[in-house]
Amino acid sequence: DGPRYARFLETANPKYLVRACEIPLIVTARLEKYRALTEAWLRRWGVRCGQLIMGPWATWEERSRKYDAGCFKGRAYRASAATIFVESCPKQARSIAEASGKRVICPTTAEVFP
């Protein structure tokens, strides 16, 4: 957390890049205080997003104590009208599918979790 992480957000290259159409929903565990940097990163790479849900925690310490990726991302996905979620981490992808009851694609392993 802090200046080093902010620099990372300013210079990070995307792992997977989708620009052909607007992505209806992006859910990230990044803290809300990094919203402007995250939105700037998306704009820099030409990624359009309908809704960006940021992590609700006040600090990284709080996040590390309370964070469950599948539960957090899965609840947001379940509450949305989205019908597909893409998650690069296979463990998180499985957990998101279980928490949401919806389909999740993991491009890293070419798996689809029902």
Side-chain angles (χ1 to χ4, degrees):
D1 195 15
R4 203 169 106 189
Y5 186 69
R7 278 192 303 280
F8 164 76
L9 291 178
E10 292 170 348
T11 61
N13 291 322
K15 187 171 186 174
Y16 300 101
L17 191 55
V18 176
R19 292 187 287 202
C21 59
E22 180 179 280
I23 298 170
L25 173 68
I26 294 177
V27 184
T28 180
R30 292 177 185 172
L31 303 181
E32 183 65 39
K33 70 181 183 179
Y34 294 112
R35 178 175 289 277
L37 286 172
T38 300
E39 289 174 341
W41 185 93
L42 291 168
R43 279 191 305 275
R44 183 169 52 254
W45 291 101
V47 177
R48 293 173 291 125
C49 171
Q51 182 181 15
L52 175 62
I53 297 177
M54 305 288 287
W57 312 278
T59 65
W60 283 105
E61 292 79 20
E62 181 184 354
R63 185 194 113 155
S64 66
R65 285 193 311 271
K66 299 180 179 179
Y67 181 57
D68 177 330
C71 187
F72 170 66
K73 292 179 179 182
R75 280 194 314 248
Y77 177 30
R78 183 178 59 230
S80 77
T83 57
I84 195 74
F85 195 99
V86 179
E87 172 58 54
S88 62
C89 172
K91 182 179 175 185
Q92 284 187 32
R94 180 181 304 281
S95 184
I96 293 164
E98 290 170 0
S100 68
K102 295 182 179 183
R103 187 170 300 174
V104 178
I105 296 173
C106 181
T108 305
T109 59
E111 291 178 275
V112 177
F113 298 96

